[in-house]
Amino acid sequence: ESKKILGTKPDGSLLYTTGDSHHPVASYTDGTYDGKYAWTNDKLNSRLARIRLDTFECDKITELPNVQGLHGACPDKRDPVDPKINHTTRLFVGSEFAVPLPNDGRDLEKPEKYASLVTCLDAETMEVRWQCRVDGNMDLLATSYDGKLAAWNQYNSENGVHFTEMMVAERDNVVFVNIARVEQAIKDGKFKTYGDSKVPVADGTKEANKDPKTALICYVPIPKNPHGVNATPDGKYFIASGKLSPTCSVIDLSLILKWFAGEGKEPRDIVVAEPEVGLGPLHTTFDGKGNAYTTLFLDSQVVKWDIEAAIKQFKGDKNVKVVLDRIDCHYQPGHLNASMAETREADGKWLVVGSKFSKDRYLPVGPLHDENEQLFDITGEKMKLLADHPAHPEPHDFIIVKRDKIKTRQVYAIDEFPNAVKDYKDSRVDRKGNKVTVYLASGAPQFSLGEFKVKRGDEVTVILTNHDKIEDLTHGFGIEKYSVNFIVNPGETRSVTFKADKAGVYWCYCTH
Amino acid sequence: ESKKILGTKPDGSLLYTTGDSHHPVASYTDGTYDGKYAWTNDKLNSRLARIRLDTFECDKITELPNVQGLHGACPDKRDPVDPKINHTTRLFVGSEFAVPLPNDGRDLEKPEKYASLVTCLDAETMEVRWQCRVDGNMDLLATSYDGKLAAWNQYNSENGVHFTEMMVAERDNVVFVNIARVEQAIKDGKFKTYGDSKVPVADGTKEANKDPKTALICYVPIPKNPHGVNATPDGKYFIASGKLSPTCSVIDLSLILKWFAGEGKEPRDIVVAEPEVGLGPLHTTFDGKGNAYTTLFLDSQVVKWDIEAAIKQFKGDKNVKVVLDRIDCHYQPGHLNASMAETREADGKWLVVGSKFSKDRYLPVGPLHDENEQLFDITGEKMKLLADHPAHPEPHDFIIVKRDKIKTRQVYAIDEFPNAVKDYKDSRVDRKGNKVTVYLASGAPQFSLGEFKVKRGDEVTVILTNHDKIEDLTHGFGIEKYSVNFIVNPGETRSVTFKADKAGVYWCYCTH
């Protein structure tokens, strides 16, 4: 079962044996978490994995065509056309590394032909619906509460392929996609496909989207190699953190929609505030009371600032107080998130910050250190540090979801699994040619068969149903020297297939 | 480098892709931890792994011949013959599952010919020195502070192969090996070898060891399917926990040595106490003040009891108070350990207990729960619960080592690695036929080469030296779609070899 989800090569071995997961996100209904799905990216292999939140198990992984460096992903919160569809139906995914299209060896020496694509997946089927070619490198994504817009912070607007080429421009962009327009363009046949992939790819390059009234994409210039874009819980703004600029940029979504309607001015005018918050702003989160909290990578601080005050200041008000509080945190903080901050129910209670360097905070365990995650109380005017927690290096991203949003199952029903060994009496060994199936049931502390015998060379499938009905009475099944080791939760059925290539006695035992 | 340690099949793929680790132990000098090595078992593949405690990295893995179900392991604390050698030179390892010798398909239907072996490894080379065939199934091991004895709790003295056959006898054994005698027997050529293995195997079965004066092994009968044997910090006793019996058995090591000298009575007389402590005693630890702490799996308690009082009671003293305290802990507790308890420096400060069922202690995350580890203060008369900590299911074993025993390195010296790319100017791509070597150096935030080009079909080796000298400035190196992802600590050099089997642009990036 796991292999089917993970994907295999023609010889049955795993397609990929390593990955690089960064960002968890979760599905929405009515602008808040509905506890149905979470997703996370594999940047190394351009894959997106879905986790069922009723069991906290991965049930699907999709590898995206035409892209590399799958980084940020964001579920939508409402349908772009039909506002009655008030839950997540699509996911938008950014790709950080531009590659030739198709990436089959052509255009190696022509980096100007390399492309990044934004990808839209179906949240239920996990199939790719469409892609759209864009300029620059895509980092993290946000979606609007009205379902009409997805956006990402873009760096390398220079379209360079080497590190030094990517930091020339003083401004990069937050890039907005008009979802309904892209989907209409695809419907109208305005797309290409590349190589073996059948996924339609629309053209969202700046060059091809000069007229706002027909543009699929809007490029909003902001300073400089920005890192992270986040949606305010009131649905009004997206805020991008400046990274190489000491600023955050506040973008008014109503002005984006105006721009797409042909009623706007230059995209740069869509920026309604750009407060200086400190050195190395990376990510921003919210308390639902109008305040933003931004990590400062170089200052090793979290800065709390007032969004509406920043807008007033940007308009020229010199008396307004934008920055309300700063607190030192552990070193080189990256992602931060406040409780429910990525929903309309941001509650302003808790803030967690992940730090890339813990220095001497934890006992030394060799060259690779534990890193640190810090919990803050943000209910008052001043942020308060409450606790540290060691984290695997490097701690990346997380979301904080209220416990009542997550309703997990504790026990499976045996009938859910078509291959279940429903009765202990069904325990047996069946042979068809050299294919042997072993039907096993388990109830602590015993398996239903004391032994099974097969012939060397047989392809053996062991099907195991856990008949225990008590929460957490998970069984394990391992076979000595056969790299077989899996768990079966109460009521669940799992199977494994292997080749019996060694003669002798090999003990099976419960590994859990 | 990792593959060499992990072991590969002839085609270069990993020999094993899963394992089952249970018990960490650490090396000794003068009867206390010296911070040099730790070891842990892989029960699934009969392997023992060594971890260097200066870097907390695994540097060797040995797969043992002739055995399955490698469970407990214990380093020795002194040489059995030369007491001047006061540090760990050997490891003793138990195998839980009896198999035919050799296990090549013979004797499948003759379980009476199946055997378990105790294995002795060299702590430095990690090579197997010898094995000794014994009756029953071996569980956990302890070694004496004088270096002369290793022992394990044995269940299935019945030598059964099915679950129900293993619980017939009212008593199983704690089994002691006279290390010097086994090594002399091996020297004298009194051993066999089996199959392809050249490891000498002595005969330690009960049948072959009836005369104490020449016996390699002493079987001390105790009730019933005991679980865990632990050495008291004063070096006097081994204590086994009764599991299916509500007792712990205290064994006097001086009487064991007397028995081997032919001066003892029946082995059962070596048991000097057997207090009733509660239902399901599994493991015992110590505070260095004469008290033992035993987990009760069925009662879900830790019981504190006085060892010398138990001995007096066993002699007939009815007024003595053996059990001093009980404290409820989380459900089905298994392993427990007090700080430094497995050394002469047991300090009686902290106690940690791992529980197999946390029930509703943590937020529900589906059928598979977080489990619980609990920290107790044992400095006073009464144990005090201080804190809970969620643990991966199922939490197995651990040791508590004082921080000043562990001296880790933070940064490597570039010269330690013969293949280091010592100078940025050495960065290059070398080709010999279809073998390509890429020499890379890295200093945050850049690799020394912006790109490298190879031909489809090439065997590519990337050697990467991290030139950063700052603690914890670990670099990562990943290649898109090539299942390549590794870290390189400051000053370290690592390499990877892969086949370039896909045409196109594949981005390399820092994954850390």
Side-chain angles (χ1 to χ4, degrees):
Chain A
E1 288 84 11
S2 307
K3 273 192 168 176
K4 199 176 154 196
I5 293 169
L6 287 164
T8 50
K9 294 180 188 171
D11 69 357
S13 66
L14 287 178
L15 192 56
Y16 298 115
T17 54
T18 180
D20 182 24
S21 170
H22 289 218
H23 303 289
V25 290
S27 58
Y28 293 86
T29 294
D30 267 337
T32 190
Y33 294 130
D34 59 14
K36 194 168 180 190
Y37 295 124
W39 291 270
T40 190
N41 70 315
D42 170 14
K43 183 170 172 179
L44 194 63
N45 303 306
S46 303
R47 297 186 297 176
L48 192 75
R50 184 172 74 185
I51 296 111
R52 287 171 52 166
L53 289 182
D54 60 343
T55 61
F56 275 60
E57 289 175 331
C58 175
D59 73 338
K60 274 187 193 286
I61 297 178
T62 299
E63 183 170 347
L64 309 193
N66 301 326
V67 297
Q68 282 180 26
L70 190 167
H71 198 180
C74 195
D76 68 359
K77 294 159 184 144
R78 196 170 279 276
D79 189 86
V81 179
D82 180 358
K84 286 198 296 290
I85 300 174
N86 66 342
H87 59 272
T88 294
T89 56
R90 297 164 177 80
L91 280 140
F92 299 94
V93 182
S95 66
E96 196 167 336
F97 304 140
V99 290
L101 288 178
N103 189 27
D104 58 2
R106 74 184 67 190
D107 297 337
L108 290 183
E109 308 296 343
K110 297 174 188 161
E112 68 280 8
K113 291 208 165 186
Y114 294 10
S116 298
L117 311 179
V118 59
T119 301
C120 175
L121 291 96
D122 187 286
E124 280 301 325
T125 66
M126 286 288 281
E127 281 166 17
V128 177
R129 292 169 70 139
W130 49 262
Q131 297 184 305
C132 182
R133 179 177 181 161
V134 294
D135 293 332
N137 293 22
M138 308 173 66
D139 194 19
L140 292 164
L141 280 88
T143 58
S144 65
Y145 283 90
D146 65 7
K148 293 182 175 156
L149 300 168
W152 55 92
N153 60 300
Q154 172 224 55
Y155 71 97
N156 189 25
S157 55
E158 304 88 343
N159 289 325
V161 293
H162 296 111
F163 187 68
T164 45
E165 299 158 12
M166 298 180 181
M167 297 197 293
V168 177
E170 276 306 313
R171 283 189 180 151
D172 293 287
N173 296 284
V174 172
V175 184
F176 285 83
V177 53
N178 186 318
I179 299 165
R181 277 196 196 163
V182 173
E183 300 196 345
Q184 190 58 49
I186 303 277
K187 260 192 205 160
D188 297 345
K190 293 177 189 159
F191 63 83
K192 292 184 185 175
T193 62
Y194 295 97
D196 298 335
S197 163
K198 288 176 183 153
V199 171
V201 181
D203 186 352
T205 56
K206 210 168 172 179
E207 189 59 30
N209 289 272
K210 285 182 174 167
D211 178 2
K213 286 195 178 174
T214 58
L216 309 180
I217 301 284
C218 174
Y219 292 82
V220 179
I222 63 163
K224 179 184 185 178
N225 286 42
H227 200 79
V229 58
N230 297 88
T232 58
D234 60 11
K236 287 187 191 170
Y237 309 111
F238 279 10
I239 297 182
S241 309
K243 193 171 175 180
L244 302 189
S245 161
T247 54
C248 284
S249 302
V250 181
I251 293 165
D252 185 327
L253 299 188
S254 66
L255 298 180
I256 293 280
L257 294 176
K258 265 196 181 170
W259 185 88
F260 275 121
E263 297 159 15
K265 303 179 227 166
E266 287 304 300
R268 175 63 195 165
D269 297 332
I270 294 167
V271 176
V272 295
E274 208 150 70
E276 288 201 7
V277 293
L279 294 180
L282 285 194
H283 300 283
T284 299
T285 191
F286 309 102
D287 61 7
K289 300 167 193 163
N291 300 309
Y293 299 74
T294 301
T295 42
L296 302 174
F297 185 72
L298 298 177
D299 284 340
S300 290
Q301 286 185 333
V302 179
V303 54
K304 173 183 176 179
W305 53 281
D306 179 326
I307 300 166
E308 291 301 331
I311 293 170
K312 283 181 193 156
Q313 186 190 52
F314 197 68
K315 282 183 185 154
D317 185 341
K318 284 177 182 163
N319 299 318
V320 78
K321 192 179 176 191
V322 175
V323 170
L324 304 179
D325 189 25
R326 290 176 189 279
I327 191 163
D328 289 337
C329 65
H330 263 190
Y331 315 107
Q332 271 74 55
H335 280 273
L336 85 173
N337 235 307
S339 38
M340 298 296 288
E342 297 288 321
T343 76
R344 284 201 183 276
E345 297 182 333
D347 62 8
K349 288 186 177 165
W350 311 103
L351 173 72
V352 172
V353 178
S355 303
K356 287 184 205 295
F357 291 94
S358 63
K359 288 193 176 171
D360 50 6
R361 175 62 183 86
Y362 297 111
L363 291 178
V365 290
L368 190 64
H369 292 210
D370 276 335
E371 304 307 351
N372 199 6
E373 288 177 338
Q374 298 188 300
L375 175 68
F376 297 85
D377 175 348
I378 55 167
T379 54
E381 269 182 50
K382 297 274 176 192
M383 294 174 272
K384 262 187 261 175
L385 174 62
L386 296 179
D388 287 3
H389 196 285
H392 286 286
E394 65 172 275
H396 217 99
D397 200 2
F398 44 85
I399 52 176
I400 306 177
V401 181
K402 281 176 99 163
R403 60 189 294 174
D404 58 11
K405 298 287 177 192
I406 306 281
K407 310 236 184 281
T408 56
R409 306 177 58 188
Q410 303 305 310
V411 176
Y412 287 94
I414 284 181
D415 291 340
E416 287 177 66
F417 301 90
N419 60 342
V421 182
K422 292 188 186 177
D423 194 306
Y424 275 67
K425 286 180 288 185
D426 297 335
S427 304
R428 68 193 186 278
V429 180
D430 273 0
R431 172 180 291 279
K432 279 184 192 159
N434 68 343
K435 295 199 175 184
V436 176
T437 305
V438 180
Y439 297 87
L440 266 181
S442 57
Q446 260 187 297
F447 294 114
S448 56
L449 296 177
E451 61 193 48
F452 60 88
K453 288 172 194 167
V454 300
K455 292 181 184 157
R456 179 152 57 169
D458 284 346
E459 183 189 295
V460 182
T461 298
V462 175
I463 301 172
L464 174 60
T465 298
N466 178 345
H467 280 253
D468 275 316
K469 291 181 183 70
I470 294 168
E471 272 185 31
D472 204 25
L473 210 61
T474 298
H475 301 161
F477 184 82
I479 306 179
E480 288 278 327
K481 310 271 185 185
Y482 269 97
S483 278
V484 168
N485 188 3
F486 60 97
I487 59 165
V488 190
N489 289 310
E492 196 179 27
T493 297
R494 294 266 178 179
S495 70
V496 65
T497 299
F498 62 95
K499 192 163 180 192
D501 55 3
K502 293 183 282 280
V505 172
Y506 297 91
W507 285 82
C508 305
Y509 70 101
C510 174
T511 49
H512 190 81
Chain B
E1 287 83 10
S2 306
K3 274 193 168 177
K4 199 175 153 196
I5 293 169
L6 287 165
T8 50
K9 295 180 188 171
D11 69 357
S13 66
L14 287 178
L15 192 56
Y16 298 115
T17 54
T18 180
D20 181 24
S21 171
H22 289 218
H23 304 289
V25 290
S27 58
Y28 293 87
T29 294
D30 268 336
T32 190
Y33 295 130
D34 59 13
K36 195 167 179 191
Y37 295 124
W39 291 270
T40 191
N41 70 315
D42 169 14
K43 183 170 173 179
L44 194 64
N45 303 305
S46 303
R47 298 186 298 177
L48 192 74
R50 184 171 74 186
I51 296 110
R52 287 172 51 167
L53 289 183
D54 60 342
T55 62
F56 275 60
E57 289 175 332
C58 175
D59 73 338
K60 273 187 194 287
I61 297 178
T62 299
E63 182 170 348
L64 309 192
N66 301 326
V67 296
Q68 282 181 26
L70 191 166
H71 197 180
C74 194
D76 69 358
K77 294 159 183 143
R78 195 170 280 276
D79 190 85
V81 179
D82 180 358
K84 287 198 296 291
I85 300 174
N86 66 343
H87 59 271
T88 294
T89 57
R90 297 164 178 80
L91 281 141
F92 299 93
V93 182
S95 66
E96 197 167 335
F97 304 140
V99 291
L101 288 178
N103 189 27
D104 57 2
R106 75 184 65 191
D107 297 337
L108 290 183
E109 308 296 342
K110 297 174 189 161
E112 68 280 8
K113 291 207 164 186
Y114 294 9
S116 298
L117 311 178
V118 59
T119 300
C120 175
L121 291 96
D122 187 286
E124 280 301 324
T125 66
M126 287 288 282
E127 281 166 17
V128 177
R129 293 168 70 139
W130 49 262
Q131 296 184 307
C132 182
R133 179 176 181 162
V134 294
D135 293 331
N137 293 22
M138 308 174 65
D139 194 20
L140 292 164
L141 280 88
T143 59
S144 64
Y145 284 90
D146 65 7
K148 293 181 176 156
L149 301 168
W152 55 92
N153 60 299
Q154 171 224 54
Y155 71 97
N156 189 25
S157 55
E158 304 88 343
N159 289 325
V161 292
H162 296 113
F163 187 67
T164 45
E165 299 158 12
M166 298 180 181
M167 296 197 295
V168 177
E170 276 306 313
R171 282 186 180 153
D172 293 287
N173 296 284
V174 172
V175 184
F176 285 83
V177 53
N178 186 318
I179 299 164
R181 276 196 196 162
V182 173
E183 300 195 345
Q184 190 58 48
I186 303 276
K187 260 190 204 161
D188 297 344
K190 293 176 190 160
F191 63 82
K192 292 184 184 174
T193 62
Y194 295 97
D196 298 335
S197 163
K198 287 175 183 155
V199 172
V201 181
D203 186 352
T205 56
K206 210 168 174 181
E207 189 60 30
N209 289 272
K210 286 182 173 166
D211 178 3
K213 285 193 177 175
T214 58
L216 310 180
I217 301 284
C218 174
Y219 292 82
V220 179
I222 63 162
K224 178 184 185 178
N225 286 41
H227 200 79
V229 56
N230 298 89
T232 58
D234 60 10
K236 287 188 192 169
Y237 308 111
F238 279 10
I239 296 181
S241 309
K243 193 172 174 179
L244 302 190
S245 161
T247 54
C248 285
S249 302
V250 181
I251 293 165
D252 185 328
L253 299 188
S254 66
L255 298 179
I256 293 280
L257 294 176
K258 264 196 182 171
W259 185 88
F260 276 121
E263 297 159 15
K265 303 179 229 167
E266 287 303 301
R268 175 64 195 166
D269 297 332
I270 293 167
V271 175
V272 295
E274 208 150 70
E276 288 201 7
V277 293
L279 294 180
L282 285 194
H283 300 284
T284 299
T285 191
F286 309 102
D287 61 8
K289 300 167 193 161
N291 300 310
Y293 300 74
T294 301
T295 42
L296 302 174
F297 185 72
L298 298 177
D299 284 340
S300 290
Q301 286 186 332
V302 179
V303 54
K304 172 183 177 179
W305 54 281
D306 180 326
I307 300 166
E308 291 301 331
I311 293 170
K312 283 181 195 157
Q313 186 190 52
F314 197 68
K315 282 182 185 156
D317 185 340
K318 284 177 182 164
N319 299 317
V320 77
K321 191 178 175 190
V322 176
V323 170
L324 304 179
D325 189 25
R326 291 176 188 279
I327 191 163
D328 289 337
C329 65
H330 263 191
Y331 315 106
Q332 271 74 54
H335 280 274
L336 85 173
N337 235 307
S339 38
M340 298 296 287
E342 297 287 321
T343 76
R344 284 201 181 278
E345 296 181 333
D347 62 9
K349 287 186 177 164
W350 311 103
L351 173 72
V352 172
V353 178
S355 303
K356 287 185 205 293
F357 291 94
S358 64
K359 288 193 177 172
D360 49 6
R361 176 63 184 85
Y362 298 111
L363 291 178
V365 290
L368 190 64
H369 292 210
D370 276 335
E371 305 307 351
N372 199 7
E373 288 177 339
Q374 297 188 300
L375 175 68
F376 297 86
D377 176 348
I378 55 167
T379 54
E381 270 181 49
K382 297 275 176 193
M383 294 174 272
K384 262 187 261 175
L385 174 63
L386 296 179
D388 287 3
H389 196 286
H392 286 287
E394 65 172 274
H396 217 100
D397 200 3
F398 44 85
I399 52 177
I400 306 178
V401 181
K402 281 177 98 163
R403 61 190 291 174
D404 58 11
K405 298 288 177 192
I406 307 281
K407 310 235 184 281
T408 56
R409 306 176 59 189
Q410 303 305 311
V411 176
Y412 288 94
I414 283 180
D415 291 340
E416 287 176 66
F417 301 90
N419 59 342
V421 182
K422 293 187 187 179
D423 195 306
Y424 276 67
K425 285 179 289 186
D426 297 335
S427 304
R428 67 192 186 279
V429 180
D430 273 0
R431 172 180 291 278
K432 279 183 191 159
N434 69 343
K435 296 199 175 185
V436 175
T437 305
V438 180
Y439 297 88
L440 266 181
S442 57
Q446 259 187 296
F447 295 114
S448 57
L449 297 176
E451 61 193 48
F452 60 88
K453 289 173 194 165
V454 300
K455 292 181 183 158
R456 178 151 57 168
D458 283 347
E459 182 189 296
V460 182
T461 298
V462 175
I463 301 172
L464 174 60
T465 298
N466 178 344
H467 280 252
D468 276 315
K469 291 181 183 70
I470 294 168
E471 271 184 31
D472 204 25
L473 209 61
T474 297
H475 300 161
F477 184 81
I479 306 179
E480 288 279 327
K481 310 271 185 184
Y482 269 97
S483 277
V484 167
N485 188 3
F486 60 97
I487 59 165
V488 190
N489 289 310
E492 195 178 28
T493 297
R494 294 266 178 178
S495 70
V496 65
T497 299
F498 61 94
K499 193 163 179 190
D501 55 4
K502 293 183 281 281
V505 172
Y506 297 91
W507 285 82
C508 305
Y509 71 101
C510 174
T511 49
H512 190 81

